[in-house]
Amino acid sequence: MVKLPEKQSPTITSDGEISIKKIHHQIVIIGGGAAGITSASLLLAQNDSLDIAIVEPEEKHYYQPGWTMVGGGVFQVEETVRDEKDLIPQGVTWIKDYALKLDPDNNTVLTKEGLQIEYDYLIVCPGIQINWHLIKGLKESLGKNGVTSNYSPIYAPYTWELIQNFQGGNAIFTYPNTPIKCGGAPQKVMYMADDMFRQLGVRDRTNVTYCTTLTKMFFVKEYSDILDKVVAERNIEVKFRCNLKEIKADSKEAVFDLTKDDETVEEITLKYDMIHVAPPQSAPDFIKESPLAVPNNPFGWVDVNKDTLQHNRYPNVFALGDASSLPTSKTSAAIRGQAPVLVANLLALMTSKPLENRYNGYTCCPLITGYNKLVMAEFDGYTFTPMSSFPLNPIKERWSMWIMKKHILPWVYWNRMLKGQPFEGNYIKFMQWKYKK
């Protein structure tokens, strides 16, 4: 069973001083999401005597890749959530609290409730921070009058409500000026919305616009080329280098900074009837403000070696997932590739052996291009080279990959990934498609 500590709050001594409760664990994991649970499960599979604690404040655990499907009306939001207590591996201590301050010089984590956790080794994987406030007027506008985002389980159902009740007009979908989790998500929902508008008979009186700060549709050229064709065939207008900075809810206007070819910036205002916003994102503030962050980096990612996942300045600290500095896409699939490497290298460090395992940048972004169509965009995030776990060319829209996204990947997440089971693609390596230029 999961070991829950008693609630540990600071106490006041007789002379008025604050007494902070101190505890110690061999391995402390900050974050009980996909990265934290997977790492703990893999560690225990190698050595079930390890003393591991997970610091995680939330009682609910979400399958976040499912939120796009909620916004597209394929899933109910309830299908994407489980109780955290049922997912934390047996024998792991769950510290139900927020990490507040990291002190790697003294191997301690201070929590919101005043608990001081000392560790021998630290794994940092709290996920990404959604910065709604960086777009003026967004927080106040979300979830009503046509403003939505699939980047929260609170608002994803409203996305579907807007899509199925759309009567025509301007439908805008945005991509921000920061790295984000699942870089394809802002346009996945756009293609499903476009499909539904056609089915409802309102597409001929609808303008669909994709406003992205990027200079192309996707990071990997081969997949970007497919998406260029998709937006052209669907008559979707794309505005590159276009950053949303304000929502004017009263007039239903979105204000953007559009960077021109000569690098001058023009402010433009677009009317919307619905707008799906991918918000700016970063590492959580407690990481940004800690010695673990990449120096002089505005996003505050945990500063780790891209091959070994070991911190570049604190050898007993590792990180993976969305909050790490790993220069690849921030997806659950990336975590699937990162976690075994991190675990192997951490165990090697604990036994004074060299860190020989290397993360190759593998990630995957299932690019939904419509209902029943999907490009399974697997690639090396370090070289932006297409890869595939299947004996199929991934640079193609496929119905079979839609079935994989809808039915198989959620099951794999709950029943294999979080339980530390090996990556399924490893079983058919000899059959896998190989990229040829």
Side-chain angles (χ1 to χ4, degrees):
M1 61 181 294
V2 176
K3 296 184 289 185
L4 289 170
E6 294 181 4
K7 186 177 177 66
Q8 305 282 5
S9 297
T11 57
I12 308 298
T13 63
S14 58
D15 58 0
E17 294 294 321
I18 296 178
S19 174
I20 296 177
K21 179 70 176 180
K22 296 182 180 181
I23 61 173
H24 175 273
H25 289 280
Q26 183 183 24
I27 300 172
V28 172
I29 300 174
I30 299 178
I37 298 293
T38 300
S39 296
S41 295
L42 287 168
L43 281 165
L44 290 175
Q46 295 291 318
N47 183 349
D48 61 8
S49 67
L50 293 171
D51 169 26
I52 302 173
I54 291 178
V55 182
E56 170 56 54
E58 301 297 337
E59 293 184 353
K60 298 297 182 181
H61 181 115
Y62 284 93
Y63 174 60
Q64 296 185 29
W67 292 345
T68 294
M69 304 292 263
V70 173
V74 180
F75 293 168
Q76 296 295 314
V77 71
E78 293 79 14
E79 297 177 74
T80 69
V81 64
R82 302 280 172 88
D83 289 333
E84 182 75 13
K85 64 180 176 61
D86 296 332
L87 301 174
I88 292 179
Q90 184 176 359
V92 171
T93 298
W94 177 18
I95 300 174
K96 189 175 174 296
D97 201 349
Y98 291 88
L100 189 65
K101 184 178 180 180
L102 306 179
D103 184 3
D105 293 304
N106 293 295
N107 296 327
T108 60
V109 176
L110 184 66
T111 73
K112 186 178 180 180
E113 297 293 336
L115 191 64
Q116 185 171 301
I117 311 166
E118 298 176 348
Y119 59 82
D120 298 326
Y121 305 93
L122 180 67
I123 299 174
V124 186
C125 49
I128 210 162
Q129 178 172 286
I130 306 296
N131 295 315
W132 307 105
H133 65 284
L134 293 183
I135 297 174
K136 185 178 178 182
L138 177 59
K139 282 184 70 176
E140 301 81 4
S141 307
L142 274 167
K144 56 190 176 184
N145 298 322
V147 182
T148 192
S149 177
N150 288 343
Y151 277 85
S152 165
I154 298 172
Y155 306 118
Y158 182 57
T159 302
W160 175 234
E161 181 182 329
L162 289 174
I163 291 172
Q164 64 180 331
N165 294 318
F166 199 68
Q167 299 299 308
N170 296 322
I172 301 174
F173 301 82
T174 74
Y175 187 107
N177 61 350
T178 70
I180 61 174
K181 54 184 173 184
C182 191
Q187 52 185 306
K188 296 178 193 180
V189 66
M190 176 174 68
Y191 301 132
M192 288 193 286
D194 184 79
D195 266 3
M196 187 54 61
F197 296 159
R198 295 173 190 276
Q199 183 177 323
L200 294 171
V202 300
R203 184 60 177 91
D204 59 347
R205 56 178 184 270
T206 298
N207 300 309
V208 179
T209 306
Y210 183 52
C211 296
T212 173
T213 58
L214 303 178
T215 58
K216 53 188 176 183
M217 292 300 295
F218 199 71
F219 310 99
V220 180
K221 181 184 182 303
E222 290 79 0
Y223 299 128
S224 188
D225 289 346
I226 292 178
L227 297 176
D228 285 341
K229 295 177 182 177
V230 171
V231 294
E233 291 170 355
R234 290 175 173 270
N235 194 29
I236 293 172
E237 181 180 6
V238 180
K239 293 183 181 296
F240 293 113
R241 305 181 77 186
C242 189
N243 181 51
L244 176 66
K245 66 178 186 179
E246 182 178 358
I247 294 288
K248 294 182 176 180
D250 291 343
S251 57
K252 299 189 80 168
E253 292 178 314
V255 183
F256 297 83
D257 278 338
L258 178 63
T259 303
K260 298 182 176 181
D261 291 340
D262 62 2
E263 300 303 320
T264 60
V265 178
E266 175 189 0
E267 182 178 283
I268 63 171
T269 299
L270 302 178
K271 296 281 290 185
Y272 66 83
D273 294 283
M274 76 162 281
I275 183 168
H276 177 276
V277 179
Q281 296 165 42
S282 70
D285 289 338
F286 74 89
I287 293 177
K288 291 183 194 177
E289 298 160 0
S290 79
L292 295 181
V294 176
N296 304 313
N297 181 282
F299 305 119
W301 313 122
V302 184
D303 186 13
V304 293
N305 181 283
K306 73 181 185 69
D307 300 316
T308 65
L309 284 69
Q310 183 182 40
H311 198 275
N312 286 319
R313 284 165 284 123
Y314 295 94
N316 65 332
V317 177
F318 291 77
L320 74 165
D322 295 350
S324 74
S325 64
L326 299 171
T328 189
S329 293
K330 299 179 182 296
T331 68
S332 292
I335 291 168
R336 199 82 194 276
Q338 295 160 13
V341 174
L342 183 151
V343 166
N345 285 333
L346 173 55
L347 293 173
L349 179 68
M350 293 172 68
T351 54
S352 301
K353 295 178 181 177
L355 279 58
E356 296 180 340
N357 277 262
R358 295 290 182 269
Y359 172 52
N360 63 3
Y362 169 81
T363 190
C364 176
C365 182
L367 293 167
I368 299 167
T369 53
Y371 293 101
N372 300 314
K373 289 188 293 183
L374 185 143
V375 177
M376 189 61 76
E378 292 183 279
F379 55 98
D380 179 333
Y382 292 168
T383 64
F384 300 110
T385 302
M387 302 169 67
S388 180
S389 300
F390 306 93
L392 299 169
N393 183 348
I395 312 171
K396 185 176 180 180
E397 293 177 286
R398 294 182 185 275
W399 171 81
S400 60
M401 294 298 105
W402 165 264
I403 297 301
M404 179 74 65
K405 167 72 174 176
K406 183 179 177 182
H407 297 290
I408 299 175
L409 294 184
W411 184 90
V412 167
Y413 180 82
W414 297 118
N415 296 282
R416 291 189 56 82
M417 178 174 168
L418 295 186
K419 294 182 179 179
Q421 296 299 313
F423 177 52
E424 294 69 33
N426 292 343
Y427 298 118
I428 56 170
K429 272 189 174 181
F430 67 97
M431 298 172 58
Q432 290 171 0
W433 173 87
K434 304 295 182 184
Y435 178 68
K436 296 179 181 178
K437 289 189 177 182

